[in-house]
Amino acid sequence: METTIKTDVLIIGAGPTGLSLAAQLVRHDIDFVIIEKNEGLTPFSKAIGVQARTLEIYEQIGLAQKAVEQGAIAGKARMVVGGEIRAEIDLSNIGQGLSAYPYMLLLEQSKNERLLYEYLQRKGKEVLWKAEFKSLSQTEAGTSAQIVTATGSSQTIEANYLVGCDGAKSLVRHALGLEFQGSTVERMFFVADVQVDWKFSHDALHVCLSQDSLLAFFPLKGDKRYRIVGSFPEEFAKEEGEVLYEEIEQRIKEKAQLDLDIHDVDWFSTYKVHTRHVNKFSEGRCFLAGDSAHIHTPAGGQGMNTGIQDGYNLAWKVALVLEDKAHEKLLETYNEERLENARNLTRSTDRMFQFLASSEWFLAFLRTNVLPSMAKYILSLDSARNFMFTLISQIGINYRHGSL
Ligand SMILES: Cc1cc2nc3c(=O)[nH]c(=O)nc-3n(C[C@H](O)[C@H](O)[C@H](O)COP(=O)(O)OP(=O)(O)OC[C@H]3O[C@@H](n4cnc5c(N)ncnc54)[C@H](O)[C@@H]3O)c2cc1C
């Protein structure tokens, strides 16, 4: 028999966005239900860059210290061209004076999700696992969602507000009929969590600069452990899932031009990326957050962080409206602020990716010849360092010019 659950907020998807929105709603003492079609947290490491703004948000729920302890701070970056180090930059304190977390933390998405999930559990909350969202309807008074539960039965969840945190292929976005605008050009990326034996020490991020693609080695916690991220060239025609690990390893060795031994592969994956964002983040009482609303290249490590911040922005507004402390119009500023952010984000990550991986001769020349000799000097200038840190750490995002 079909049953109905009633709640204030229904969150669809327990990735980093949904879990962090749930954590914020706990903080504001708002009732919610969070559903997830999988049977548990992702076992895959996926995103690894945790930015200062995210750590500031974690601090408010007592998770920042734990995250820092579990992760590795990106202390230095080395630029490698033709197998040789051409520049070394100190990143350990790059945002000094700008944030209590003046660095980029490297902590796998799976570990971020676990931190958030355990926070929810400590607060007496649980995810409804193996519960899949199927359809929704809404009126001026509320939303109603149909889900199928772990036992295969249908259930209705009625909520004042519904938030689709259901990732890039979002069914909520489709159900709301929102557009997902952007480039149709896709690039294929690969990621691999491995151990590497090579001539370089394990205390730095290594970026191999080449003529046509991205290749970077991020040191992870653990002996010789690295996350390798790279891209295939534009003309690469295979689909996700068709690429064998051997092809990835061969490409890494070819592009790094280094004598290296890669072993103990914990995880590898390929994924295709468009650059897109929705035309609006909400429709009536339904909202989107995270990858359901914006996707882009991994350049700059922004994806997971942006979803966490979407959730943060929405949670306090929903809380004030539900507590009758603010007019519903406040919720319109979620779309206004986060849509503008998504536009800026897709532009800046595209530019970063172009600069790091484009095969266009001038950019390739700048990257392999000019950047290594200029980078140290540029980052020795306070204004340039502050600009870079403020942009990448996301602490520069503000809405002072907005309607609020
Ligand atoms: C292989 C890989 C590597 C990546 N590497 C990087 C990186 O290096 N840097 C970076 O910034 N980003 C990276 N990303 C992107 C990053 O993982 C995403 O930006 C981030 O996961 C977005 O979080 P999210 O919670 O919005 O979406 P997701 O993590 O996709 O979570 C959505 C959740 O919703 C659930 N769901 C979907 N549909 C339904 C439904 N109908 N009912 C119930 N539940 C549903 C899904 O099962 C999932 O758990 C990578 C992604 C992949 C796949």
Side-chain angles (χ1 to χ4, degrees), residues 8-9 21 24-31 160-161 285 287 311-334 337 404:
D8 281 331
V9 182
L21 171 62
Q24 289 301 321
L25 292 176
V26 165
R27 192 171 152 238
H28 295 294
D29 206 15
I30 295 296
D31 186 54
N160 285 310
Y161 298 104
R285 292 177 161 267
F287 300 85
Y312 187 89
N313 187 300
L314 183 59
W316 69 265
K317 293 174 180 171
V318 163
L320 283 183
V321 172
L322 283 169
E323 288 162 352
D324 275 334
K325 291 181 182 154
H327 190 273
E328 245 182 11
K329 258 189 123 29
L330 175 65
L331 297 175
E332 290 172 14
T333 65
Y334 172 67
E337 294 174 354
L404 251 192

Side-chain angles (χ1 to χ4, degrees), residues 191-340:
V191 288
D193 288 352
V194 298
Q195 287 192 13
V196 181
D197 282 313
W198 59 355
K199 61 184 177 182
F200 300 139
S201 57
H202 185 241
D203 57 351
L205 151 67
H206 293 82
V207 185
C208 299
L209 301 168
S210 72
Q211 297 296 326
D212 64 354
S213 54
L214 177 75
L215 179 65
F217 296 71
F218 295 83
L220 296 177
K221 219 164 196 159
D223 191 29
K224 302 176 191 168
R225 279 192 72 227
Y226 288 90
R227 148 67 62 90
I228 306 179
V229 179
S231 63
F232 286 103
E234 260 173 84
E235 57 279 9
F236 190 74
K238 287 196 174 174
E239 289 302 315
E240 288 170 62
E242 286 177 4
V243 186
L244 300 175
Y245 172 71
E246 287 68 26
E247 279 178 85
I248 294 175
E249 184 167 323
Q250 188 193 347
R251 179 151 184 93
I252 294 169
K253 289 185 168 161
E254 204 179 286
K255 287 288 145 190
Q257 297 180 37
L258 279 162
D259 185 15
L260 45 84
D261 180 26
I262 302 173
H263 53 94
D264 290 277
V265 181
D266 285 342
W267 175 64
F268 80 92
S269 182
T270 53
Y271 67 114
K272 276 195 163 175
V273 176
H274 308 258
T275 296
R276 288 173 185 271
H277 61 74
V278 278
N279 56 331
K280 51 183 178 162
F281 272 59
S282 60
E283 186 64 65
R285 292 177 161 267
C286 300
F287 300 85
L288 294 176
D291 274 19
S292 67
H294 40 71
I295 50 169
H296 47 82
T297 78
Q302 307 283 294
M304 174 176 70
N305 297 275
T306 304
I308 288 172
Q309 288 158 44
D310 287 342
Y312 187 89
N313 187 300
L314 183 59
W316 69 265
K317 293 174 180 171
V318 163
L320 283 183
V321 172
L322 283 169
E323 288 162 352
D324 275 334
K325 291 181 182 154
H327 190 273
E328 245 182 11
K329 258 189 123 29
L330 175 65
L331 297 175
E332 290 172 14
T333 65
Y334 172 67
N335 176 57
E336 177 190 319
E337 294 174 354
R338 297 312 286 174
L339 181 57
E340 183 195 331

Side-chain angles (χ1 to χ4, degrees), residues 13 15-17 36-38 47 109 131 133 165-166 269 271 290-291 303-304:
T17 304
E36 165 58 51
K37 69 178 178 185
N38 290 334
Q109 180 171 325
F133 163 78
C165 305
D166 51 341
S269 182
Y271 67 114
D291 274 19
M304 174 176 70

